[in-house]
Amino acid sequence: MGMRIENRMYPSLFRTSEAESLGISKHRLLHDPRFRAVIDGIHRDELKLVEHPTPSWADDAWMNESLKLRAMTMAVPGIAAGGASAARLFGLPLPRRLIDSHLHLVTFDPGRKVSRKGISLRRHNLAEGDYWLGMPMHSPVGVFLDLSAVLTRDELVALGDSIVGRWHGPPLCSLEFLRTKIAERRYLRNRKRVEAAMSLVRESVDSPQETDLRLWAINCGLPEPVVHPPVRCPLLNRTVEPDLGYPHAKLALEYEGDHHRALRSQWNSDITRDEALRQQGWEVLKVTSQTNRIRLEHKIRYYLERRSGLAGRDSLKQC
């Protein structure tokens, strides 16, 4: 799955010290909304626009944060987006409490300092960064480890699934690479939490909702469902991969987001896929944000016991 990149228009940026040479008076710089300050020392020109590559899924908040980061790189060399800011710019899932306007930065320069309202800087000894869409970013591995301090195990699994998965585009790195880099760390904060999360990170996950559903099943004591189990469907003359499934019991779990109902093409595709799966003897359970999870658990247990001959409900821990 590729990520579609668009060239969107952004206000151009200039330093306060450049205003006079640009023909901008001190009064206009302070009072004309055309030249609002992005950060101290860096202003934006709302009429003089420039193009920057932008993911098709990016919203206004993403564009504002990316502009603020670009402004900071003009004011303070040797910094990169890190933590929650890097995660937001990469398009990784975060809990609502970490969705705000605070800009999180990292530096690999031990002497670098930043003291600005709404901006924090974290120093790292290990230089792990690169440019992404023209912006300096901490590595996905570094972002994962930094956020382990503020995320729960399950939230960290969702982050890891998204890093090695394909929610907003191709993986940022492979699961093997993520595991290797973490294993190489001699000193690792929150080691138990990181290792517990890494044991549950899976490749090819398409959305945080899939992760949530899989972790919910595990936390209920159900067997872990397989991510995208391949099912050869002669009716379609191709292989179908449901979101989650139990191949031994031919039971599929499909998470239906709002777009499944809103887009007729997606709706028709879902119907065709489900018909093909059922022709191959699979049962398909649909899950939405409104699904009663207690009833869903009972359904899954019923089909697992019926189709795979499990010992009974007592052999599976209840939620």
Side-chain angles (χ1 to χ4, degrees):
M1 182 185 298
M3 180 173 65
R4 188 161 62 88
I5 302 298
E6 306 169 340
N7 282 323
R8 295 188 190 174
M9 306 306 295
Y10 291 74
S12 59
L13 300 174
F14 63 93
R15 294 176 174 83
T16 303
S17 59
E18 299 171 329
E20 186 176 353
S21 64
L22 295 172
I24 304 170
S25 68
K26 185 178 293 186
H27 182 271
R28 290 188 67 199
L29 191 65
L30 293 175
H31 302 288
D32 191 335
R34 171 182 170 179
F35 304 117
R36 286 179 297 160
V38 181
I39 60 172
D40 289 344
I42 305 294
H43 293 257
R44 56 197 289 165
D45 186 336
E46 298 288 353
L47 297 185
K48 186 178 180 181
L49 305 180
V50 294
E51 286 187 344
H52 290 305
T54 306
S56 60
W57 45 260
D59 57 12
D60 289 343
W62 189 99
M63 295 178 67
N64 287 332
E65 187 156 22
S66 68
L67 191 68
K68 192 174 182 180
L69 174 61
R70 294 180 191 278
M72 277 300 302
T73 62
M74 293 174 61
V76 183
I79 54 94
S85 289
R88 293 191 294 254
L89 292 172
F90 277 135
L92 304 176
L94 290 175
R96 288 187 178 182
R97 67 180 184 277
L98 296 185
I99 306 299
D100 55 31
S101 60
H102 194 92
L103 185 64
H104 299 266
L105 303 173
V106 297
T107 183
F108 312 113
D109 179 353
R112 186 69 59 197
K113 294 182 179 180
V114 171
S115 180
R116 294 169 185 259
K117 184 179 180 179
I119 297 173
S120 59
L121 180 70
R122 185 181 183 87
R123 296 183 185 86
H124 281 270
N125 294 326
L126 186 60
E128 290 182 332
D130 204 346
Y131 280 83
W132 188 74
L133 300 182
M135 298 178 291
M137 304 280 281
H138 200 189
S139 71
V141 176
V143 173
F144 182 86
L145 292 177
D146 274 1
L147 288 175
S148 68
V150 295
L151 296 181
T152 66
R153 185 207 67 174
D154 286 2
E155 290 168 346
L156 204 53
V157 174
L159 183 71
D161 277 2
S162 188
I163 287 173
V164 305
R166 54 194 187 191
W167 180 30
H168 276 326
L172 295 174
C173 69
S174 69
L175 178 55
E176 181 181 2
F177 182 85
L178 184 61
R179 285 174 173 166
T180 299
K181 286 297 183 181
I182 290 176
E184 290 175 350
R185 299 292 177 102
R186 295 183 61 184
Y187 172 70
L188 188 62
R189 294 177 302 135
N190 312 296
R191 182 177 294 276
K192 288 186 177 180
R193 189 185 309 166
V194 169
E195 291 178 347
M198 283 304 304
S199 71
L200 293 169
V201 173
R202 302 289 181 262
E203 292 183 298
S204 77
V205 176
D206 285 339
S207 72
Q209 290 78 17
E210 287 183 20
T211 299
D212 175 73
L213 184 57
R214 177 168 54 87
L215 293 179
W216 165 82
I218 294 171
N219 292 335
C220 280
L222 292 164
E224 180 180 352
V226 176
V227 176
H228 298 304
V231 183
R232 182 63 188 175
C233 294
L235 185 65
L236 300 178
N237 193 30
R238 62 181 175 86
T239 296
V240 170
E241 297 182 352
D243 292 339
L244 299 167
Y246 296 97
H248 65 285
K250 290 190 173 183
L251 176 63
L253 306 178
E254 285 287 352
Y255 188 88
E256 305 284 282
D258 291 339
H259 71 283
H260 287 260
R261 294 180 288 104
L263 297 176
R264 183 175 295 274
S265 59
Q266 182 67 58
W267 186 38
N268 290 331
S269 176
D270 291 346
I271 292 174
T272 302
R273 175 205 61 208
D274 294 349
E275 288 178 346
L277 284 170
R278 290 188 174 107
Q279 192 213 32
Q280 294 305 112
W282 281 65
E283 181 65 35
V284 180
L285 298 181
K286 298 294 188 71
V287 184
T288 72
S289 60
Q290 302 302 313
T291 295
N292 185 308
R293 292 293 178 98
I294 295 177
R295 293 178 184 174
L296 177 61
E297 181 197 351
H298 291 331
K299 287 182 181 179
I300 293 173
R301 291 182 186 280
Y302 169 78
Y303 283 112
L304 289 180
E305 293 168 7
R306 178 183 178 188
R307 289 167 169 254
S308 57
L310 295 178
R313 290 181 185 272
D314 291 340
S315 66
L316 297 174
K317 183 183 70 177
Q318 297 288 333
C319 280

